[in-house]
Amino acid sequence: MKAKLGIAPIAWSNDDLPELGGETPLETCLSEARRAGFSGIETGGKFPKDPAVLGPLLENHGLKLCGGWYSGRLLDGEVEEEKHRVAEQMALFKALGAPCLVYGETAGSIQGKRDAPLATRRRLSEEDIKIYGRKMTAFAEWCAEQGMPIAYHHHMAAPIETEEDLDLLMTNSGQGLPLLYDAGHMAFAGGDVLRVIDKHHARISHVHMKDIRREVMDGIDRARESFLDAVLKGAFTVPGDGTLDFEAITKRLASYGYEGWFVIEAEQDPAKAPPLKMAEIGHAELLRLMAAAGYTVEE
């Protein structure tokens, strides 16, 4: 089985918390990501939107575009409207050969609001999710027809956060809606990270390797503190520096035949967790995990 190793730029510059790496040039992020050994990188706010600019920039650093966040609003919108909203980013990703758009639902999400406690996140009824699942399926199928599939990102502080939320969405959507699996977000939401793979492996098309610091996560007061508060406190980190059993996770994915990108996404304060050092720790651990699970890493 083959695996590709990528990283997200959020360790260098956090778009939701500009005080975390806001001054760091994109050039630093790209050069250090490659220096750490990664062959791919996802997009961030500092990335050029013109493929004629971004393509050569990535090529000069020996990096491929391996995905990137798309702020979807389909929960409160309509499919035709979302097609227009996604067009520019879809064109960029298609031009650069990205494997997918990472669909994150931002309608009603509080993930970027520092003053919104985790406990106040928007919750959907089963009927809400049935309606949403139909819309997401139609949109995902259309995106695939255009040559740029999406991968749905369950996310803390978003309407689809918990294992139960995700189960309902998968039940009430078609096979045409692929899933981004993120163990860190699922663990933070109280889910069973291996059980989620067992139930939804057939839909997993993209993987984020986000680790957690259990002692920090368990100390978050969800009635008073926000997702961004958790980030600032250091709830997340790279594999090799956290507490999740990524060897078991990687082997479970391998047992179901998952092949493709494993992308480290670990938002931290770069002053406390130097991005290059953390990237090197994460890359070394991914190499160990891939070998243990029987993957061949493609450069």
Side-chain angles (χ1 to χ4, degrees), residues 2-5 205-207 257-263 290 295:
K2 296 179 180 179
K4 300 177 183 180
L5 307 185
S205 66
H206 202 59
V207 173
Y258 174 80
E259 290 188 285
W261 286 97
F262 290 85
V263 181
M290 297 304 122
Y295 284 102

Side-chain angles (χ1 to χ4, degrees), residues 46-264:
K46 294 181 179 179
F47 282 57
K49 304 297 191 294
D50 183 347
V53 178
L54 182 55
L57 181 61
L58 295 177
E59 187 175 350
N60 287 342
H61 288 282
L63 293 167
K64 298 286 188 182
L65 184 63
C66 64
W69 179 271
Y70 167 68
S71 295
R73 299 194 60 81
L74 194 54
L75 180 59
D76 291 336
E78 299 301 330
V79 173
E80 290 303 314
E81 178 185 9
E82 205 65 37
K83 290 178 183 179
H84 292 293
R85 292 188 66 248
V86 78
E88 182 180 5
Q89 190 170 341
M90 177 180 281
L92 173 66
F93 278 38
K94 284 178 67 175
L96 298 183
C100 65
L101 279 162
V102 173
Y103 184 100
E105 186 58 64
T106 59
S109 174
I110 58 170
Q111 64 203 60
K113 297 180 179 180
R114 182 80 189 275
D115 60 349
L118 284 163
T120 65
R121 65 110 180 173
R122 183 174 179 178
R123 286 173 167 79
L124 304 179
S125 68
E126 185 170 352
E127 184 59 31
D128 292 333
I129 294 178
K130 286 180 180 179
I131 296 169
Y132 182 51
R134 288 195 292 268
K135 290 196 291 186
M136 281 305 316
T137 302
F139 180 65
E141 290 174 346
W142 177 83
C143 288
E145 289 169 1
Q146 307 311 302
M148 182 44 56
I150 65 171
Y152 190 94
H153 193 344
H154 58 93
H155 200 286
M156 283 298 298
I160 301 298
E161 176 191 87
T162 66
E163 184 177 350
E164 181 183 10
D165 294 336
L166 183 58
D167 289 348
L168 283 170
L169 179 61
M170 293 291 97
T171 298
N172 292 287
S173 61
Q175 293 294 318
L177 178 62
L179 175 65
L180 183 153
Y181 172 76
D182 189 313
H185 278 283
M186 186 50 63
F188 200 163
D192 184 316
V193 297
L194 295 178
R195 187 168 62 213
V196 168
I197 297 173
D198 290 337
K199 288 185 291 189
H200 305 305
H201 59 88
R203 307 278 284 274
I204 296 173
S205 66
H206 202 59
V207 173
H208 276 178
M209 303 290 273
K210 183 197 295 286
D211 209 338
I212 62 168
R213 294 186 176 95
R214 177 68 66 179
E215 69 281 3
V216 176
M217 192 190 79
D218 289 347
I220 299 296
D221 182 347
R222 301 185 187 210
R224 300 179 59 187
E225 295 180 288
S226 66
F227 175 73
L228 295 182
D229 288 332
V231 170
L232 288 167
K233 285 191 168 186
F236 299 119
T237 187
V238 300
D241 186 56
T243 50
L244 290 178
D245 185 352
F246 268 101
E247 183 166 334
I249 290 167
T250 307
K251 286 180 175 178
R252 190 66 60 91
L253 288 165
S255 74
Y256 290 112
Y258 174 80
E259 290 188 285
W261 286 97
F262 290 85
V263 181
I264 286 181

